[in-house]
Amino acid sequence: MRKTEAVAVGCGDRTTVYCEEGAHNLGLMKIVAAVDPDEVRLKYMRDRFGVPPQMCFKHIDDVLKMGKIADCVINGTMDELHKQTAIPFLRRGYDMLLEKPIVNNRQDLAEILAESERNKSKLMICHVLRYAPFYKKIKRLISDGEIGEIVNINTSERVGVFHSSVSYIRGKWNSEEKCGSSLLLAKCCHDIDLLCWLNNNTVPEYVYSEGGRNFIVPEKAPEGAGTRCLVDCPEEVRRNCIFDVQSMYLDNCKLPWYPWQCTGKDWREVTHEEKVDSLKTYNPHGACAYKIESDLADHQQVTIRFANGSTANHTLLLACMKAGRRIWVTGTRGELEGNADDGKLYLRKYDKATSGYTEQVFDFADTRGETGGHFGGDKGLVQDFCALLRGEKPSVSCTAISDSVNGHLAVYCADESLKTKRPVVFRKLEEI
Ligand SMILES: NC(=O)c1ccc[n+]([C@@H]2O[C@H](COP(=O)([O-])OP(=O)(O)OC[C@H]3O[C@@H](n4cnc5c(N)ncnc54)[C@H](O)[C@@H]3O)[C@@H](O)[C@H]2O)c1
């Protein structure tokens, strides 16, 4: 089978995950060119994926001026660069795998959709959870009518202390002003997409949201805390602080590519001394989590009312002890309850014999390790994208942009509601 040829644009964490799945694990893709202003990332693309040196570029214009040199683009640039790096490639007729969030407002969303339609580009959004076997099973059970009509979907995402710190408190998504994304857009556009996808016999009607930044704020810092852990925060204060950088980033760092990105070196090559020095001086991850400048919420709840009368709720919480995603789908003839992290999904039906219920358990725990990131979603997404480009029928999970806009629009409504403290009427993209 001919391999799908791809240009990797923004060769950081996410793009290299998709390249790894496509080129190495699935053997379906060939990475023919790479674009990234960072030489360290380009070297990685040469070493890991055999991209020829003359096909590694610092600016997208260098590739664009060569015409269309591949089937598609894998666009894993940061949130605020999606529009400016996606549109020129769509104009050149490239198909594209584009990271979420697509963009942060409805006008840009409409522009990207229109550009992909005008050029007949297949544009798929990286809503990886739709491809996880756990969520695919939920979709199939609902589509097969196992629980009747959906009455309510209730989901939650609890982000662990470490992940919250490294991404949303001290990390590169910690400012809506700088990165362009609210907490909900950056973290849970996946979950709101799931609510719309699972219930896509209908559309959102209005959205209400509550929350804010109330707990990870300067006033709630431990008494006597400094502004930089390793510089002016007394040891006895740090000992009781859950955000202490010594334990979080030096003793056991779970996502090591994030906190050392700002050193400008490949994270694998950063020495202990360089880490300590960065945390003491310029590294934002060394700052006090309570006092660092950040404009994101630390907790948020969203309620969606759909046009058919059903409802959905999503709760997003930062700095939780046990992280994870949970879901309850209540239908007129049954219900589903599951925890994506332990891979257990329960299907319950009313039992006339006992006036209780019967329960069937589906267990995805065994397949999670083998199938890779996002409960297996990363691999499934790349596989589906390559199949779509080969002209095969889109799968039920297919995250084509046209089928991904409602989730994004609902997130915009939720964030507007958070600010205005009023329910916001959902308008489809084509409505003014
Ligand atoms: N689907 C998911 O579940 C998921 C998970 C995490 C992150 N994301 C999203 O993926 C995207 C990338 O996140 P990441 O953590 O991989 O980021 P990253 O910082 O690791 O990678 C971004 C890369 O883009 C490069 N870059 C900067 N300016 C550029 C330009 N003008 N042209 C080309 N490249 C440029 C940077 O040098 C960097 O290497 C973000 O939008 C993020 O929100 C999605």
Side-chain angles (χ1 to χ4, degrees):
M1 192 194 302
R2 181 183 167 274
K3 290 191 178 175
T4 300
E5 296 192 339
V7 177
V9 176
C11 305
D13 175 34
R14 294 308 301 165
T15 294
T16 50
V17 164
Y18 300 127
C19 292
E20 198 65 41
E21 295 293 358
H24 292 159
N25 299 341
L26 294 162
L28 294 172
M29 251 183 195
K30 184 175 176 205
I31 315 303
V32 297
V35 188
D36 199 301
D38 185 344
E39 178 48 38
V40 173
R41 303 311 307 167
L42 291 179
K43 179 175 180 306
Y44 185 80
M45 296 306 286
R46 289 195 289 276
D47 295 349
R48 183 73 196 157
F49 301 105
V51 180
Q54 70 278 15
M55 296 305 278
C56 289
F57 305 97
K58 298 232 154 146
H59 201 281
I60 58 169
D61 290 351
D62 299 325
V63 179
L64 289 162
K65 70 184 176 206
M66 297 172 84
K68 187 164 182 280
I69 59 163
D71 303 302
C72 68
V73 162
I74 301 175
N75 187 337
T77 54
M78 271 295 287
D79 309 18
E80 72 280 14
L81 294 177
H82 288 175
K83 184 183 172 193
Q84 73 194 63
T85 54
I87 286 192
F89 283 105
L90 295 173
R91 282 202 183 125
R92 273 256 177 263
Y94 280 92
D95 295 324
M96 187 179 291
L97 194 58
L98 175 62
E99 256 307 349
K100 50 56 53 177
I102 309 170
V103 281
N104 67 3
N105 66 84
R106 62 186 286 137
Q107 193 182 328
D108 288 349
L109 188 59
E111 239 177 90
I112 290 201
L113 174 66
E115 201 61 57
S116 67
E117 286 175 350
R118 196 172 303 129
N119 298 292
K120 300 192 171 40
S121 299
K122 291 170 182 152
L123 174 54
M124 246 167 82
I125 308 308
C126 299
H127 278 309
V128 282
L129 294 183
R130 286 201 207 176
Y131 291 93
F134 174 85
Y135 288 106
K136 270 164 70 175
K137 181 71 181 179
I138 295 175
K139 178 73 177 169
R140 203 168 310 125
L141 291 169
I142 292 170
S143 309
D144 289 350
E146 288 286 349
I147 63 166
E149 260 187 90
I150 291 177
V151 177
N152 173 266
I153 310 179
N154 188 331
T155 54
S156 62
E157 170 153 39
R158 307 169 70 82
V159 189
V161 175
F162 176 82
H163 190 173
S164 299
S165 167
V166 84
S167 294
Y168 307 104
I169 300 171
R170 294 159 157 148
K172 60 191 176 189
W173 290 277
N174 87 337
S175 163
E176 183 171 359
E177 196 188 332
K178 283 189 221 137
C179 151
S181 299
S182 66
L183 179 70
L184 188 71
L185 187 61
K187 189 72 194 103
C188 289
C189 66
H190 284 312
D191 305 83
I192 305 297
D193 173 72
L194 286 177
L195 298 179
C196 295
W197 174 61
L198 294 173
N199 203 10
N200 68 355
N201 287 332
T202 179
V203 287
E205 193 174 53
Y206 62 82
V207 182
Y208 180 66
S209 184
E210 269 291 357
R213 192 173 186 101
N214 304 100
F215 300 96
I216 308 170
V217 291
E219 310 84 77
K220 306 252 171 175
E223 206 180 325
T227 55
R228 214 166 242 283
C229 282
L230 300 183
V231 177
D232 58 359
C233 196
E235 212 173 320
E236 60 276 17
V237 175
R238 280 174 35 206
R239 208 176 299 131
N240 291 319
C241 178
I242 58 171
F243 296 111
D244 172 33
V245 294
Q246 176 69 41
S247 62
M248 192 170 268
Y249 298 135
L250 295 172
D251 297 346
N252 48 57
C253 188
K254 283 191 197 145
L255 303 169
W257 49 94
Y258 284 142
W260 316 123
Q261 199 167 27
C262 62
T263 63
K265 286 178 78 173
D266 187 319
W267 61 269
R268 298 169 198 84
E269 290 163 13
V270 184
T271 65
H272 180 76
E273 289 67 35
E274 286 168 333
K275 289 177 183 174
V276 172
D277 177 61
S278 77
L279 291 172
K280 284 184 172 173
T281 54
Y282 62 91
N283 191 333
H285 293 278
C288 173
Y290 294 94
K291 298 182 181 176
I292 193 169
E293 217 173 289
S294 170
D295 56 9
L296 295 196
D298 53 26
H299 65 123
Q300 187 166 354
Q301 306 221 78
V302 180
T303 299
I304 303 176
R305 184 188 160 92
F306 288 87
N308 68 355
S310 62
T311 51
N313 322 84
H314 180 68
T315 304
L316 162 57
L317 300 169
L318 286 193
C320 296
M321 305 307 122
K322 185 175 176 190
R325 279 188 158 99
R326 307 197 87 185
I327 183 164
W328 291 260
V329 188
T330 307
T332 49
R333 287 159 47 84
E335 65 185 37
L336 293 161
E337 180 185 351
N339 179 336
D341 291 78
D342 70 16
K344 291 256 182 7
L345 177 66
Y346 300 86
L347 168 63
R348 299 191 191 103
K349 303 252 184 115
Y350 183 65
D351 182 19
K352 277 185 155 178
T354 63
S355 294
Y357 59 84
T358 59
E359 187 174 81
Q360 200 179 344
V361 188
F362 304 94
D363 193 343
F364 296 92
D366 288 350
T367 58
R368 287 191 36 209
E370 294 162 21
T371 49
H374 287 107
F375 316 114
D378 291 352
K379 183 181 277 180
L381 169 79
V382 174
Q383 204 161 19
D384 203 34
F385 180 61
C386 291
L388 191 71
L389 263 53
R390 286 195 304 269
E392 293 173 21
K393 198 168 156 258
S395 78
V396 66
S397 300
C398 185
T399 50
I401 183 167
S402 53
D403 189 33
S404 303
V405 291
N406 280 356
H408 272 62
L409 291 174
V411 171
Y412 305 156
C413 291
D415 282 334
E416 188 183 332
S417 170
L418 190 69
K419 286 180 186 132
T420 60
K421 301 190 184 301
R422 290 174 198 284
V424 172
V425 175
F426 181 93
R427 288 174 296 130
K428 290 189 206 154
L429 201 54
E430 56 275 23
E431 291 171 44
I432 300 165

